Amino acid sequence: ASIGLKTSLAGTDLTLIWFMIAFVIVGCISKIIGCGGISRLLGFNWRECGQIGLGMMVRGEVALIVAQKGLSVGMVDSKYFAPVILLIIVSSMIVPVLLKSAFSGKNTGALSAGEKTD
């Protein structure tokens, strides 16, 4: 929480806002395609590939720690720290909703209450 509180939006201009939006979109889609694509190569069906890709889309404390370390040693400019925080927040909030819809419907492979496996 303390790392996120250090985020400053001072100096945010229209160019940085567009960068933030593109960064979030590319960050989310790349996880879906990368992890889903590898799972397809491993023999999963398309629905399962989408579920795996969505599940892997979340970024959290590791990305936050790496970004903060880069900021502290001067490898990351402070104005680019806010997009990383935004990506972490957005992916953490939308993944549960997307996963719920990805796993709802027919033939999810989950057992319903009272169903037996033989």
Side-chain angles (χ1 to χ4, degrees):
S2 65
I3 295 172
L5 292 173
K6 293 178 187 175
T7 304
S8 173
L9 296 177
T12 303
D13 59 359
L14 188 58
T15 304
L16 189 58
I17 291 172
W18 282 113
F19 174 76
M20 291 169 95
I21 292 168
F23 187 74
V24 169
I25 291 170
V26 170
C28 292
I29 290 174
S30 64
K31 278 281 199 149
I32 295 170
I33 292 172
C35 297
I38 293 297
S39 60
R40 184 66 183 155
L41 290 175
L42 295 173
F44 290 92
N45 66 40
W46 286 110
R47 180 179 178 91
E48 293 167 335
C49 292
Q51 293 167 341
I52 291 168
L54 285 172
M56 295 300 292
M57 191 171 76
V58 175
R59 286 169 171 77
E61 63 278 347
V62 174
L64 192 57
I65 292 167
V66 169
Q68 203 283 327
K69 200 60 159 166
L71 183 65
S72 68
V73 298
M75 291 182 70
V76 176
D77 190 1
S78 61
K79 72 178 184 178
Y80 297 116
F81 190 68
V84 173
I85 300 300
L86 183 65
L87 175 59
I88 292 167
I89 291 169
V90 168
S91 67
S92 297
M93 292 177 67
I94 65 169
V95 165
V97 175
L98 294 175
L99 277 176
K100 183 177 180 179
S101 66
F103 278 95
S104 66
K106 298 179 183 178
N107 198 12
T108 61
L111 295 175
S112 58
E115 196 173 347
K116 294 182 181 179
T117 59
D118 290 316

